[in-house]
Amino acid sequence: MAFTEISIKKAFTFLEPGPVILVTTKEGDKNNIMTISWHMVMDFAPHIAISTGAWNHSFTTMMKTKECVIAIPDADMIEKVIRIGTVSGTEVDKFKEFGLTPLPAKSVKAPLIDECIACIECKVEDYIEKHGIVVLEGIRLWLDQDKKGKPTFHANGDGTFTVDSDKVLNYRSMMEKWIPEGV
């Protein structure tokens, strides 16, 4: 057997989900951003779960306003995205500090981020306090066509990141009957 047992505490580093995301909120006239690496798409419907909690200032705003925007940054933004996650919105205007441009959303007050590949306007649907899981319903999706296809990046959970490859393996024809119409 070639396996060696390692600490169970490292299990999540083998399962880290999709790309690191930014989540914006707005309370009054104050925009804020938090970095999230733990999230998942829950089904083919636009339901997304993110992991956060009361330790995060943006969480408090999101739970109060019941809305947010998920913004998907490209790999060129990795240093900004990491730094956004290391400072509090109570002390710093993150849009100004990191040179990001807030754009108005259509159905929520939280802003889109102009520098990102895509933005999803969301409403808070549920919160599972025991696990710090916020369930969001995506209600609008915005894509910057000029940035479409730019690589995103994924946290490995240990301070390292993986950047998406340019190579895409297309097996759509094998999965066609399971793909929802219009996707």
Side-chain angles (χ1 to χ4, degrees):
M1 176 161 126
F3 284 110
T4 302
E5 185 175 5
I6 63 174
S7 171
I8 190 65
K9 292 180 180 180
K10 294 184 178 186
F12 76 95
T13 67
F14 292 92
L15 301 170
E16 281 294 332
V20 175
I21 60 174
L22 296 171
V23 176
T24 68
T25 57
K26 183 172 188 151
E27 184 172 19
D29 62 352
K30 185 168 176 17
N31 294 323
N32 199 15
I33 313 169
M34 67 177 155
T35 300
I36 298 284
S37 61
W38 292 350
H39 57 84
M40 70 176 187
V41 176
M42 296 176 61
D43 53 27
F44 284 116
H47 292 97
I48 303 150
I50 63 173
S51 179
T52 187
W55 61 87
N56 195 317
H57 175 66
S58 292
F59 167 81
T60 304
T61 301
M62 182 173 49
M63 296 311 291
K64 184 176 179 181
T65 63
K66 300 293 186 202
E67 62 181 38
C68 66
V69 168
I70 293 175
I72 297 93
D74 65 55
D76 293 338
M77 294 178 64
I78 190 168
E79 287 188 24
K80 282 185 183 186
V81 172
I82 292 168
R83 288 186 179 131
I84 286 167
T86 65
V87 296
S88 173
T90 60
E91 301 165 7
V92 175
D93 176 339
K94 294 184 188 184
F95 277 92
K96 185 176 179 181
E97 179 75 15
F98 298 105
L100 297 175
T101 311
L103 297 176
K106 194 167 187 176
S107 298
V108 299
K109 291 181 178 117
L112 311 177
I113 300 176
D114 188 39
E115 291 76 12
C116 287
I117 298 167
C119 294
I120 306 166
E121 295 182 37
C122 298
K123 295 285 187 177
V124 174
E125 229 178 48
D126 198 4
Y127 177 55
I128 305 163
E129 186 174 3
K130 178 180 178 182
H131 299 288
I133 295 173
V134 180
V135 178
L136 304 170
E137 178 184 11
I139 55 174
R140 290 189 181 279
L141 172 62
W142 303 94
L143 173 65
D144 184 331
Q145 293 290 345
D146 293 337
K147 295 176 186 145
K148 183 179 179 182
K150 288 191 81 171
T152 57
F153 59 98
H154 306 258
N156 295 319
D158 62 358
T160 64
F161 296 83
T162 304
V163 176
D164 288 337
S165 166
D166 290 336
K167 187 173 184 173
V168 175
L169 304 175
N170 187 340
Y171 289 93
R172 187 176 180 94
S173 63
M174 290 177 66
M175 302 181 68
E176 201 71 46
K177 72 178 186 178
W178 293 285
I179 299 171
E181 189 176 326
V183 173

